[in-house]
Amino acid sequence: MASKIHGIIPPMTTPFTAEGEIDEGAYRNQIRWFLGTGVHGICVGGSTGEGHTLTRDEFKLLMEIAAEEVGGRVPLIAGIIANSTREAILRARDIEHLAIDALQITPVHYLFKPSEEATFNHFKTLTESVKQPVIIYNVIPWNYLTPAQLLHIMRELPGVIGVKQSQGDLKLMADLLLDVPEGKLVFTAVDALLYPSFALGSPGTIAANPTAVPTACVALWDAVQRGDHAYAMQLHDRMLRFWNTIVGDNLPACVKAVLEMQGCPVGLPRAPMPAASAKQRAAIEPALRHLLEIVDKPVRAAAE
């Protein structure tokens, strides 16, 4: 199960109308567009997808549509952002009839931080209560799980197949990769440092950059796998400059603007998140062009 989840796995955005309703047509078109870019998997309901704003019914609908559109062609991951063990279990059970390869689940994210023992029991109860394997989404700023804590959970809980590490400290990523138990996975969501994460041995990424620029991320992944580090470094430099134009408090809105610029319109963010501003768009556009202009050069060279 876990071994086939690898590579570039973009978290889908959730297209909303001006009234804040899900735009199903735009959502279906988005999934089809991504499948055409060569990504290795699809994730639904993550931070980039504004999963924290979704009701259970909305989340179930998005997962049902995604399962239909993906049709087993690539692994499908369900992102669950919930503030209690019970809520996470209910959301997982809502979609257990679907072909879901893994659940991406956050630690709790409201004000009150549980102890390490309570967090362990949270994931223990989860894995004993749901059918699908779990990837811990280590993203909550005041509830980051340490490498030691994550390694302990992965060793003790067979249902936890890995972690998506979102902290910006590459040392923490390296520590996880150094001691990760056999058969477990450490995905990188350190968007600014995808190249070194891949070079260190991360089996893939589930993050905002793969959603914003999937072709560039696939090119980066392929370059590292074939040992073309000179080209990978070129991509890293341009991707970092691009990333610096979209990162911020309305990151999902900026990702939506980037997709629109590439011919994949995905609607608006859900209020109160503001859409990408004119100033943000003016910074994004040249950085995006600068990145994408080198993406297919190795392919052309190989064809020649």
Side-chain angles (χ1 to χ4, degrees):
M1 177 73 72
S3 61
K4 69 176 182 178
I5 305 174
H6 76 285
I8 306 303
I9 305 171
M12 295 292 96
T13 71
T14 304
F16 295 111
T17 65
E19 295 73 34
E21 301 297 328
I22 292 173
D23 185 336
E24 181 177 327
Y27 180 64
R28 288 183 181 275
N29 288 337
Q30 174 189 202
I31 295 173
R32 294 167 189 168
W33 185 83
F34 270 95
L35 291 173
T37 66
V39 297
H40 306 99
I42 294 291
C43 178
V44 173
S47 303
T48 306
E50 300 169 75
H52 59 288
T53 74
L54 300 173
T55 67
R56 277 177 59 190
D57 286 343
E58 289 174 332
F59 175 65
K60 181 182 178 182
L61 172 65
L62 292 174
M63 290 307 310
E64 288 174 341
I65 293 171
E68 178 186 337
E69 292 290 342
V70 170
R73 284 175 284 179
V74 296
L76 178 59
I77 297 173
I80 294 178
I81 301 174
N83 249 324
S84 70
T85 309
R86 179 180 182 275
E87 176 70 12
I89 291 170
L90 288 173
R91 288 186 177 238
R93 288 179 175 170
D94 285 343
I95 58 172
E96 66 181 9
H97 62 291
L98 302 173
I100 306 296
D101 293 275
L103 305 173
Q104 173 188 278
I105 302 182
T106 61
V108 298
H109 53 280
Y110 189 58
L111 177 64
F112 308 109
K113 178 180 177 178
S115 65
E116 287 194 14
E117 181 181 6
T119 294
F120 178 89
N121 288 332
H122 172 67
F123 286 105
K124 182 175 187 292
T125 302
L126 275 170
T127 56
E128 291 173 349
S129 305
V130 303
K131 292 172 55 177
Q132 311 93 329
V134 170
I135 297 170
I136 297 174
Y137 181 13
N138 195 28
V139 70
I140 310 304
W142 48 86
N143 195 13
Y144 279 132
L145 309 189
T146 66
Q149 195 174 357
L150 289 165
L151 292 169
H152 172 66
I153 292 172
M154 285 190 281
R155 290 189 186 106
E156 297 297 322
L157 302 181
V160 174
I161 61 170
V163 58
K164 170 182 167 181
Q165 179 66 10
S166 297
Q167 236 174 341
D169 187 340
L170 193 62
K171 171 65 161 55
L172 298 179
M173 170 66 68
D175 285 340
L176 280 170
L177 290 168
L178 188 65
D179 293 318
V180 62
E182 185 177 356
K184 303 298 171 109
L185 305 167
V186 180
F187 295 98
T188 180
V190 186
D191 282 276
L193 298 168
L194 295 183
Y195 166 50
S197 296
F198 295 161
L200 286 168
S202 175
T205 177
I206 311 168
N209 254 342
T211 309
V213 284
T215 55
C217 289
V218 170
L220 176 63
W221 172 261
D222 289 345
V224 174
Q225 302 313 302
R226 67 174 179 265
D228 187 354
H229 291 280
Y231 177 54
M233 191 64 197
Q234 291 180 49
L235 284 165
H236 164 76
D237 287 346
R238 297 188 185 209
M239 196 177 296
L240 179 55
R241 292 189 186 280
F242 165 76
W243 171 249
N244 290 340
T245 70
I246 67 170
V247 66
D249 289 335
N250 67 335
L251 173 61
C254 289
V255 170
K256 288 181 172 182
V258 173
L259 290 175
E260 179 189 330
M261 293 173 191
Q262 295 173 88
C264 181
V266 285
L268 298 168
R270 179 169 264 180
M273 182 177 290
S277 67
K279 182 178 179 180
Q280 286 175 315
R281 285 175 171 270
I284 290 168
E285 287 180 318
L288 176 63
R289 287 196 305 271
H290 189 238
L291 170 59
L292 295 183
E293 70 184 14
I294 68 165
V295 166
D296 64 348
K297 285 184 178 179
V299 176
R300 288 203 306 268
E304 294 168 2

